[in-house]
Amino acid sequence: MAHVIAVAGKGGVGKTTLTGLIIQYLGEKGKGPILAVDADANSNLNEVLGVEVEATLGEVREEVARSEMAKDNPIPAGMTKADYMEYKFDDALVEDDDFDLLVMGRTQGKGCYCFVNGLLQAQLQKLQRHYPYIIVDNEAGMEHISRGVLPSMQTAILVSDCSRRGVQAVGRIAKLIEECDMHPQKVGLIINRAPGGVLNEGTREEIEKQGLELLGVVPQDETVFEYDCDGTPTVKLPEDSPVKKAVREIVDKLGF
C-alpha cells in the first residue's frame, strides 16, 4: 500500500512549489514511481513539474455529462458511460520518468466540487496499490481532509509562511486531522519564504502555541519568483538553490 504524503495549508504560502520539489527529490532518490496528485481545483502542479496536462478528472466528467446532447457523441457505440469514463481517466494520467501525475481539475460553471472530489477519491483508491508513494497537493483549506477524500495519510506536511495567521491556519488543520481519526505517522510544519531563512520570535511563539512540530524552514528566494514569472518549472532551480537545499534536508529528516 502506498505511503500517502499530504501537503496542506492556507492559500498563497507556496504549497505547490514545495510539493513539486519533494516529488523531484524523492524521484532522484529512487523512490519512484510516485503518483503526484493535484487535488486543487485551481490546478498548477504540472507547471511546477514542467509537464503538460491534456485532461483532468473534471474535464472527463464534463465530457461524459454533455455526451448525450453532443452532435457527435464521443462515447463509442456499445460502450457504457462508466466504461468510457474509466478509459478516459486512465488516459488522463500523465506519465513521466519518476512520477505519474493525476489532476482533479474542476467542473464548469456554478456548483460545488463534490462530484469531482468523489471521482478523485475513487481513483486514489484504485491506484494506491501501484505506487510506493502518493504525494497530494491539496487545495487551500481543509476540505479534502474533512471529506475523507484521501484513502489514508501517513505523513501530513503543513505549510505556512511566517505570518501568525498562516501558522494558526495549519494549527486548525492539524486539529482537524486529529478529530477525523486519520492517525498519520507524522504531522509536521514547514515555514516557507522566511527572510534569510530565519524565523522571528513571534512566529516561533505561535508555532509553540499551536503545538506544531517544525520540520524545517525554507528561505525566501527571488529566483523562485523569477522562475514563476518566466514560466520556468520550479524543479529546474539550480542545484545550489537555497530553496532546493532546504527542501532536501527536510525530506532527508523525514526519512522517506
Side-chain angles (χ1 to χ4, degrees):
M1 196 67 70
H3 184 113
V4 179
I5 304 167
V7 184
K10 80 180 187 70
V13 296
K15 295 187 305 296
T16 301
T17 296
L18 297 187
T19 301
L21 292 174
I22 291 169
I23 292 166
Q24 180 191 43
Y25 188 43
L26 286 179
E28 291 175 354
K29 288 168 66 73
K31 301 297 184 180
I34 298 160
L35 178 60
V37 180
D38 191 338
D40 193 338
N42 185 21
S43 54
N44 58 9
L45 180 59
N46 67 297
E47 296 173 4
V48 171
L49 293 169
V51 295
E52 295 291 331
V53 174
E54 295 185 2
T56 69
L57 299 184
E59 289 170 347
V60 172
R61 187 263 183 180
E62 290 298 315
E63 179 185 350
V64 172
R66 296 193 304 265
S67 61
E68 291 182 348
M69 304 296 292
K71 183 178 180 181
D72 297 314
N73 192 331
I75 302 177
M79 181 179 281
T80 66
K81 283 185 178 182
D83 288 342
Y84 180 75
M85 190 175 286
E86 283 300 316
Y87 164 74
K88 294 292 286 186
F89 285 160
D90 291 340
D91 203 37
L93 194 66
V94 179
E95 298 180 357
D96 202 76
D97 293 338
D98 297 321
F99 65 86
D100 296 339
L101 174 63
L102 185 67
V103 180
M104 183 182 82
R106 63 179 181 85
T107 54
Q108 294 182 351
K110 298 179 180 179
C112 72
Y113 297 115
C114 298
F115 196 95
V116 285
N117 279 332
L119 294 179
L120 177 61
Q121 183 178 37
Q123 292 305 302
L124 290 178
Q125 289 173 344
K126 182 181 77 172
L127 294 169
Q128 62 179 329
R129 66 182 181 274
H130 300 300
Y131 298 89
Y133 289 93
I134 297 176
I135 304 179
V136 185
D137 181 23
N138 289 277
E139 66 180 355
M142 304 183 285
E143 184 169 355
H144 287 106
I145 295 170
S146 62
R147 288 183 178 272
V149 172
L150 304 183
S152 61
M153 184 198 307
Q154 283 69 47
T155 302
I157 297 177
L158 309 179
V159 182
S160 175
D161 54 17
C162 291
S163 70
R164 282 184 176 268
R165 285 181 297 171
V167 176
Q168 290 165 1
V170 296
R172 287 190 288 270
I173 294 173
K175 288 181 176 63
L176 180 63
I177 290 171
E178 184 177 348
E179 291 169 4
C180 291
D181 292 325
M182 301 196 76
H183 304 296
Q185 298 166 10
K186 171 73 72 174
V187 179
L189 168 68
I190 296 177
I191 295 294
N192 193 28
R193 300 174 183 161
V198 178
L199 291 184
N200 63 43
E201 193 58 35
T203 305
R204 287 191 180 277
E205 288 176 359
E206 191 62 40
I207 292 170
E208 292 177 6
K209 181 179 178 181
Q210 296 296 327
L212 297 166
E213 178 184 350
L214 182 63
L215 299 176
V217 178
V218 179
Q220 174 73 28
D221 185 358
E222 288 303 311
T223 306
V224 175
F225 174 73
E226 292 167 4
Y227 272 43
D228 185 49
C229 291
D230 294 339
T232 303
T234 314
V235 293
K236 292 187 177 181
L237 284 167
E239 292 302 301
D240 62 354
S241 162
V243 171
K244 235 177 190 180
K245 286 182 176 180
V247 169
R248 290 175 173 182
E249 288 175 5
I250 292 168
V251 172
D252 288 341
K253 178 180 177 181
L254 286 167
F256 295 132

